[in-house]
Amino acid sequence: MNTRHAAVLAGMLALSGGCKSFLDVNTNPNGPQSVSANLYLPAMLHWFVTSPQYDGRFVGHYAQEWISTSTAFDPAQSWGRMGYQAGSDNGAMQWRDVYWSLGQNLIDMNAKAQAEQRWDLLGVGLILKAWGWQVLTDLHGEIIIKEAFDESRTAFDYDTQDYAYSEVQRLLDSAIVLLKRTDGAVDQTYLAFGDHIYNGDRTKWLKLAAGMLALSLNHFSNKASYDPARVIRLVDSSFTSNTDDALLAYPCTSTDFADCNFWGRSRNNITLYRQTQFVVSLMNGTQFGGVVDPRMTRMLTIDSANTTYRGLDINAVTTQRPFGALTGPQQPNNFFGYFGSLGLGLPARYIFADRSKIPNMTYAELQFIKAEAALQMGDAALARSAYINGVSSHIDFVNARNLDAGQTPTQITAAEKTAFLADANIVPATITLSHIMSQKYIALWGWGHNELWMDMRRYHYDPVVFRGFAPPTTLFGDNGGKVVQRIRPRYNSEYVWNRDALGAIHGLDIDYHTRELWITQP
């Protein structure tokens, strides 16, 4: 990703909204009617990684990654209480990007790639298509697939989540077949021109497709059809180390900061957010026998008195007291490591620097998926081995991210890592599900919001599985005392223009967001 990416991003957005009748009578060499297939890719890869971060501002409240202290945002009444904001598109950025930013652009790119026998580019395109249906169905439940791009329609019926999952798997199976091909016009140089994640290396994309399929199939853990052995085989076909991580770089060279990391201080999207007690308790020794995680001082922030790592109590946060009962010196610094809203232009920490790389998927994440599947299959030894790989590789990931942009935390030393992994509270002789899922939470905290929330719903917010987790004691008023299970579809497209279809899936009910997903039921 570089300055060319920003230009292509703008160009692709222009293509999405262009007027066909205008293009029919104008030929503009500076705004071509038809572009090379690989030029579609940079903008779509940007959203592939960045769009989940937009929605993470809200999903992260559900999973208690963080909470906003903005009185204007009013966390005490909406997302922080497992609710929503009526009449708002908040929490629907991925909906927008799947149907619009990718939308027809992705259809056109795939059609051109197929016509030109560019099987590697087409494989990447099918990965993007599968990703879109996966994230949308996991966030929203029923979504529109079959009729999504039918230009003859003005209303669109929703498809079942069962169908969405089958389509995700079909697309990823097809992508795997295509990415194994070397005939036709397969060309790493051509693909690399638009590929700012893997630089045109189709074998890396092949591994990512296998990893995404493993993730999708692992979501079936509540179903009789769950096949943990296949999940493990797919993980083994996927990433082999952190060098395979699907990372997007943010050069942060534009004057409007559009190419900066979404979490960076220059973008100002998370300046008023603070860590929760829940995530701090997973790392400060509370939940793991007193063992302090060396990652805590490299990922989280200390209080303004520079003495203690604290998080906000979600039940104490109100519009009048956004930091709850914490005094000024007790309040945690912002995620960049500074008091209040400070930090602009200064070194930050972990994934919160302007140029920090953000992943779509990591080796550590896949190892935790493998560990969970192995445990469900009854192979305790394999579960333990994969779990150790997950924790160890995430420690390395933390160190790597703290080198992306001159961040201030020191590196976790080999001695710290060895001691941590040698402690029986962290790596006992027999690994439990709560070890796996709690450590996976740490590894995905701050960026893997979709998967974090799916894990919590798959295990029904169980505090035994997610050590120390508890829903808010006072839930959002429309919840009827029930925890959140889905985000309502995008307001401006669905509740304004597609209400009849919404009514058919109970989407007009005030507690629709508490309706359990198909994938999390037996």
Side-chain angles (χ1 to χ4, degrees), residues 260-475:
C260 298
N261 177 5
F262 185 77
W263 298 132
R265 178 61 184 84
S266 292
R267 292 290 298 270
N268 199 31
N269 289 312
I270 201 171
T271 305
L272 297 178
Y273 282 50
R274 295 296 186 272
Q275 63 210 21
T276 59
Q277 283 184 348
F278 172 59
V279 68
V280 172
S281 74
L282 289 175
M283 304 179 77
N284 70 358
T286 300
Q287 300 299 335
F288 283 93
V291 180
V292 177
D293 194 319
R295 292 169 292 182
M296 181 177 71
T297 57
R298 280 77 170 190
M299 294 171 59
L300 305 184
T301 58
I302 203 164
D303 62 23
S304 62
N306 204 38
T307 61
T308 308
Y309 284 82
R310 308 177 195 271
L312 300 194
D313 178 355
I314 60 169
N315 293 308
V317 172
T318 66
T319 53
Q320 293 75 34
R321 302 189 69 182
F323 286 91
L326 296 181
T327 65
Q330 292 175 329
Q331 295 172 10
N333 286 327
N334 59 40
F335 288 115
F336 321 113
Y338 303 97
F339 177 75
S341 60
L342 299 178
L344 185 62
L346 299 174
R349 57 198 305 107
Y350 193 41
I351 59 171
F352 302 107
D354 284 341
R355 292 181 175 84
S356 294
K357 296 176 182 176
I358 300 292
N360 177 275
M361 178 170 277
T362 67
Y363 172 73
E365 176 183 12
L366 288 168
Q367 288 301 298
F368 287 119
I369 288 173
K370 179 178 178 178
E372 180 192 355
L375 195 67
Q376 298 286 14
M377 195 170 63
D379 192 334
L382 183 60
R384 187 175 188 271
S385 173
Y387 168 82
I388 293 171
N389 286 341
V391 177
S392 175
S393 59
H394 185 253
I395 290 173
D396 296 340
F397 176 89
V398 171
N399 277 345
R401 299 291 72 77
N402 272 318
L403 292 176
D404 281 339
Q407 292 92 321
T408 53
T410 61
Q411 294 281 281
I412 299 170
T413 67
E416 287 179 288
K417 178 178 178 179
T418 299
F420 185 65
L421 292 174
D423 195 296
N425 289 290
I426 304 301
V427 186
T430 302
I431 298 295
T432 67
L433 184 63
S434 74
H435 283 94
I436 295 168
M437 302 311 294
S438 295
Q439 288 294 327
K440 182 183 178 185
Y441 182 99
I442 294 170
L444 270 63
W445 178 84
W447 66 269
H449 323 285
N450 295 341
E451 180 72 354
L452 279 185
W453 190 34
M454 176 51 66
D455 285 346
M456 288 194 161
R457 289 172 292 165
R458 284 194 297 122
Y459 288 104
H460 312 292
Y461 297 101
D462 189 341
V464 175
V465 175
F466 300 96
R467 299 185 180 198
F469 181 87
T473 55
T474 302
L475 293 165

Side-chain angles (χ1 to χ4, degrees), residues 137 141-143 145-146 158-165 518:
T137 195
E142 291 81 8
I143 57 173
I145 298 178
K146 296 172 187 173
Y158 286 79
D159 295 296
T160 65
Q161 194 174 37
D162 185 6
Y163 177 78
Y165 264 86
W518 171 83

Side-chain angles (χ1 to χ4, degrees), residues 65-77:
E65 296 179 67
W66 44 49
I67 194 164
S68 173
T69 64
S70 166
T71 55
F73 184 68
D74 199 4
Q77 300 301 322

Side-chain angles (χ1 to χ4, degrees), residues 244-263:
D244 291 328
D245 288 354
L247 295 165
L248 185 67
Y250 294 85
C252 199
T253 56
S254 65
T255 56
D256 62 357
F257 309 118
D259 63 343
C260 298
N261 177 5
F262 185 77
W263 298 132

Side-chain angles (χ1 to χ4, degrees), residues 87-110:
S88 168
D89 278 351
N90 282 341
M93 186 67 177
Q94 287 168 101
W95 186 284
R96 172 194 180 277
D97 287 334
V98 168
Y99 288 116
W100 187 71
S101 299
L102 273 65
Q104 189 62 44
N105 291 319
L106 181 55
I107 293 171
D108 292 347
M109 185 189 81
N110 287 348

Side-chain angles (χ1 to χ4, degrees), residues 28 34 45 66 71 178 189 263 290 345 352 386 416 520:
N28 181 358
S34 180
L45 294 185
W66 44 49
T71 55
L178 289 165
T189 300
W263 298 132
F352 302 107
E416 287 179 288
T520 63

